[in-house]
């Protein structure tokens, strides 16, 4: 193993040396662009089989790079998956879960006062050691109180919002979501940044695109390596697109948003070529979780997979994923490596010539040997929902220890996470425990998780022999972080001076905020 690691490091040094030289003549590490979509499904791209074929730029990106059909998020909801990407750790380790209920999803709306702990080391903080300048464009979603600001966690620049573009609100009991440039609030969604809920028109993707293009140009002119985290949210409900794209898709408004994203990615890659830095820039495209089928058929597609966002079935966890690095990643490749959004943390550090932190558990793998040499690494994939390990995949086999979609109460009100996909005994509306006899599926033969293996079969027993020790080892070593996403009960809050209400670890934001303000720091 030591010889393999040494060979990999040696090859990487050659790659980095060939990639470009900085002003001092020393090898300059490649730029890193992570393009993170919001609620985009595995089946939304032409290269994954979407029949409308409306993503020519992303399809070309895949043809020029490497496609990952078996790439997973770390959680079926946005905030925890974003924490996982930037820390390289399962959300339960960083506290991005709730103990309000068993196997409950949670994120960071205005009522949540937790966020990314100072003890976590985020990717942009670590990349500073290699001289990177870092910017996040779009949705942060790792906490909206001052101590959680992205510029306090390694980013040098930010244009975007601490939250999603929900609204509009009345600005009394609840304000509209703010938009920031670095520390300064420059407006709010539905006000300075309008979103027309009736027509779906909004110019946000174009604004986010220009932010990305301007940042790339500035860093290239300064000859500095850069990290750009482009985390846009046009495909998250309420879905939006700018006027030139509205009504242009065969798939309705959601397709309009996807087409604008595809066009924007094409412009970003075109700029890299124009600036002659494409061969010195690593680009990775993926999504934070599966498409939100709760809004079906108006939202995205998870292809052949079961259910969607908020569930730990494949439709909620398996994501589109494309790696692009001309001259380094061989064109037209498909890798069957089990990949994870957490791997982007470790891979980015490897690109920068840095080691991951050794004082904590890191769940992400370095994918460079996969992308540069075609190597496959055996690894499990853990499917968490809140604080509960719901399922584990190893190789082709997936074992479910708990199943449920959403509650009967929600379902009776018309909320369905798996519309048109009822699988008896699998897509349950009560939390069903299978820890004694897990439901096991062979994902190669049955990617839709419709036909569990017979518990009397030799194949079932062989699959459990592979998975059981992995689960035992994981659970014995796991140290959960302090939960950050618990919801406070306003009814039991004691009064406190303006600014916050406090009860133990629960802190509530003020009921009203100034029209214009800066984020304290």
């Amino acid at each position: 193993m030591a010889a393999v690691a040494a060979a990999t490091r040696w090859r990487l040094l050659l790659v980095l040396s060939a990639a470009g030289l900085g002003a001092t003549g020393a090898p300059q590490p490649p730029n890193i662009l992570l393009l993170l979509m919001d609620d985009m499904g595995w089946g939304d791209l032409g290269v994954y089989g979407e029949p409308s074929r409306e993503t020519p730029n992303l399809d070309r990106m895949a043809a020029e790079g490497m496609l990952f059909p078996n790439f997973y998020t770390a959680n079926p909801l946005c905030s925890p998956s974003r924490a996982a990407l930037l820390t390289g750790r399962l959300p339960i380790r960083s506290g991005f879960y709730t103990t309000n209920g068993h196997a409950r999803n949670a994120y960071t709306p205005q009522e949540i006062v937790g966020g990314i702990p100072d003890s976590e080391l985020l990717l942009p903080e670590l990349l500073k050691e290699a001289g990177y300048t870092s910017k996040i464009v779009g949705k942060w979603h790792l906490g909206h109180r001052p101590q959680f600001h992205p510029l306090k966690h390694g980013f040098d620049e930010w244009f975007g919002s601490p939250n999603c573009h929900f609204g509009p609100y009345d600005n009394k009991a609840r304000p509209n979501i703010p938009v920031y440039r670095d520390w300064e609030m420059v407006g709010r969604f539905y006000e300075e940044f309008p979103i027309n809920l009736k027509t779906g028109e909004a110019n946000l993707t174009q604004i986010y695109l220009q932010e990305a293009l301007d940042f790339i140009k500035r860093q290239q002119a300064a000859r500095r390596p850069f990290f750009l985290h482009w985390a846009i949210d046009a495909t998250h409900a309420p879905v939006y697109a700018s006027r030139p794209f509205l009504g242009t898709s065969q798939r309705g408004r959601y397709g309009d948003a996807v087409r604008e994203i595809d066009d924007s990615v094409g412009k970003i890659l075109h700029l890299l070529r124009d600036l002659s830095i494409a061969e010195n820039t690593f680009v990775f495209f993926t999504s934070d979780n599966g498409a939100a089928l709760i809004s079906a058929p108006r939202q995205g597609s998870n292809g052949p997979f079961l259910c969607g966002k908020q569930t730990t079935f494949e439709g909620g966890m398996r994501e589109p994923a494309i790696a692009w690095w001309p001259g380094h990643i061989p064109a037209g490749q498909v890798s069957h490596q089990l990949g994870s959004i957490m791997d982007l943390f470790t891979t980015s550090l490897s690109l920068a010539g840095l080691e991951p932190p050794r004082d904590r558990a890191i769940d992400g793998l370095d994918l460079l040997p996969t992308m540069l040499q075609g190597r496959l690494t055996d690894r499990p994939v853990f499917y968490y929902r809140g604080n509960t390990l719901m399922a584990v995949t190893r190789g082709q086999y997936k074992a479910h220890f708990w199943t449920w979609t959403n509650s009967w109460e929600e379902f009776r009100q018309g909320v369905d996470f798996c519309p048109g996909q009822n699988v008896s005994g699998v897509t349950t509306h009560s939390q069903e425990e299978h820890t004694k006899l897990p439901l096991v599926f062979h994902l190669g033969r049955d990617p839709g998780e419709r036909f569990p293996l017979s518990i009397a079969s030799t194949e079932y027993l062989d699959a459990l022999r592979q998975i059981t020790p992995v689960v035992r080892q994981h659970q014995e070593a796991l140290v959960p972080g302090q939960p950050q996403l618990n919801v406070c009960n306003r009814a039991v809050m004691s009064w406190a001076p303006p600014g916050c209400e406090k009860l133990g670890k629960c802190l509530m934001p003020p009921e009203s905020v100034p029209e214009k303000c800066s984020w304290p720091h």
Side-chain angles (χ1 to χ4, degrees):
M1 289 300 294
V4 171
T8 300
R9 286 194 295 270
W10 175 78
R11 181 182 174 96
L12 180 57
L13 284 174
L14 290 180
V15 168
L16 296 182
S17 296
L21 293 175
T24 64
Q28 179 173 307
N31 308 308
I32 300 168
L33 269 69
L34 302 184
L35 310 178
L36 182 68
M37 302 303 103
D38 202 337
D39 291 7
M40 182 178 280
W42 188 96
D44 277 329
L45 308 186
V47 71
Y48 281 101
E50 203 290 312
S52 300
R53 302 289 177 177
E54 294 179 342
T55 54
N57 294 291
L58 286 162
D59 297 348
R60 187 180 308 116
M61 180 183 176
E64 295 172 353
M66 180 173 282
L67 188 73
F68 288 84
N70 305 315
F71 194 86
Y72 290 87
T73 186
N75 190 273
L77 204 63
C78 33
S79 291
S81 68
R82 291 160 193 268
L85 187 159
L86 291 173
T87 63
R89 287 153 56 81
L90 287 164
I92 195 166
R93 299 192 198 275
S94 63
F96 262 67
Y97 66 96
T98 179
T99 56
N100 288 145
H102 179 261
R104 297 285 176 176
N105 290 317
Y107 67 112
T108 56
Q110 296 187 69
E111 291 80 7
I112 294 288
V113 297
I116 194 70
D118 286 340
S119 58
E120 292 297 318
L121 294 173
L122 272 61
L123 180 57
E125 295 179 77
L126 297 171
L127 288 176
K128 286 184 183 298
E129 298 175 28
Y132 281 75
T133 300
S134 299
K135 177 166 184 165
I136 177 171
V137 174
K139 181 174 170 181
W140 169 237
H141 229 207
L142 300 187
H144 52 80
R145 295 180 71 80
Q147 65 267 35
F148 306 129
H149 192 289
L151 269 61
K152 286 196 172 182
H153 292 273
F155 284 102
D156 300 293
E157 299 181 22
W158 177 34
F159 182 87
S161 173
N163 219 311
C164 196
H165 58 278
F166 291 129
Y169 301 118
D170 61 9
N171 274 335
K172 295 177 182 177
R174 177 181 292 195
N176 281 321
I177 305 296
V179 175
Y180 282 85
R181 179 175 298 284
D182 300 334
W183 292 102
E184 182 182 0
M185 191 182 85
V186 293
R188 297 181 185 275
F189 292 135
Y190 302 95
E191 298 175 27
E192 291 83 359
F193 297 92
I195 303 170
N196 188 316
L197 294 182
K198 183 176 180 180
T199 66
E201 182 179 351
N203 208 38
L204 288 166
T205 299
Q206 293 302 308
I207 295 171
Y208 294 149
L209 170 62
Q210 197 58 51
E211 288 290 324
L213 299 178
D214 290 347
F215 177 73
I216 292 169
K217 291 175 185 176
R218 284 190 284 111
Q219 302 315 309
Q220 190 273 341
R223 297 185 65 79
R224 288 191 296 256
F226 62 83
F227 166 46
L228 174 60
H229 186 33
W230 200 60
I232 66 171
D233 65 353
T235 44
H236 189 296
V239 173
Y240 60 78
S242 64
R243 184 172 299 175
F245 291 91
L246 285 174
T248 64
S249 171
Q250 299 296 310
R251 305 176 61 200
R253 188 179 299 175
Y254 182 88
D256 297 340
V258 172
R259 290 198 67 196
E260 185 168 17
I261 288 170
D262 177 77
D263 182 78
S264 298
V265 171
K267 286 182 168 67
I268 290 172
L269 300 185
H270 184 74
L271 176 64
L272 297 176
R273 292 190 184 96
D274 278 355
L275 296 177
S276 300
I277 58 173
E279 292 193 358
N280 192 33
T281 305
F282 171 80
V283 185
F284 200 97
F285 177 96
T286 190
S287 179
D288 62 347
N289 47 249
L293 301 186
I294 183 175
S295 304
R298 293 171 291 164
Q299 295 285 93
S301 167
N302 295 315
F305 303 118
L306 185 62
C307 301
K309 177 180 179 178
Q310 301 232 32
T311 78
T312 48
F313 300 108
E314 292 294 288
M317 298 286 288
R318 202 185 295 213
E319 309 307 326
I322 304 169
W324 185 87
W325 191 13
H328 306 290
I329 296 175
Q333 300 298 300
V334 176
S335 174
H336 293 284
Q337 171 68 49
L338 289 183
S340 167
I341 202 168
M342 297 176 289
D343 299 343
L344 300 179
F345 172 88
T346 309
T347 303
S348 296
L349 292 179
S350 184
L351 285 163
L354 301 172
E355 295 284 339
R358 297 186 179 184
D359 63 343
R360 64 199 62 208
I362 299 295
D363 299 292
L365 295 181
D366 180 3
L367 291 179
L368 283 184
T370 297
M371 294 185 288
L372 302 181
Q373 303 166 351
R375 189 181 305 163
L376 299 181
T377 301
D378 181 35
R379 62 97 65 88
V381 173
F382 298 104
Y383 302 68
Y384 271 89
R385 184 165 172 169
N387 59 353
T388 303
L389 180 62
M390 304 287 286
V392 174
T393 286
R394 187 171 185 187
Q396 294 279 20
Y397 293 103
K398 179 177 181 181
H400 287 269
F401 305 107
W402 290 86
T403 55
W404 80 304
T405 56
N406 60 326
S407 68
W408 277 113
E409 180 182 5
E410 289 178 324
F411 182 69
R412 292 187 183 106
Q413 294 171 354
V415 177
D416 188 355
F417 291 168
C418 311
Q421 292 186 304
N422 179 56
V423 180
S424 179
V426 178
T427 55
T428 56
H429 293 288
S430 56
Q431 295 188 18
E432 300 294 334
E433 184 176 5
H434 310 282
T435 53
K436 301 264 194 259
L437 288 173
L439 296 180
V440 178
F441 298 88
H442 187 288
L443 294 178
R445 298 193 304 264
D446 180 24
E449 299 171 276
R450 288 166 171 80
F451 307 103
L453 301 182
S454 168
I455 61 173
S457 68
T458 301
E459 185 179 15
Y460 179 87
L461 296 176
D462 288 343
L464 284 191
R465 287 191 192 102
Q466 296 179 43
I467 292 173
T468 301
V470 170
V471 173
R472 183 184 304 116
Q473 181 181 10
H474 169 71
Q475 292 182 323
E476 288 175 354
L478 179 68
V479 179
Q482 181 177 344
Q484 297 293 314
L485 305 183
N486 285 345
V487 176
C488 299
N489 184 348
R490 287 178 179 269
V492 298
M493 303 299 279
S494 57
W495 183 88
C500 71
E501 295 173 289
K502 185 173 182 180
L503 183 68
K505 294 287 185 182
C506 286
L507 297 172
M508 299 304 294
E511 290 297 322
S512 60
V513 296
E515 285 296 311
K516 296 286 184 182
C517 62
S518 292
W519 199 317
H521 63 288

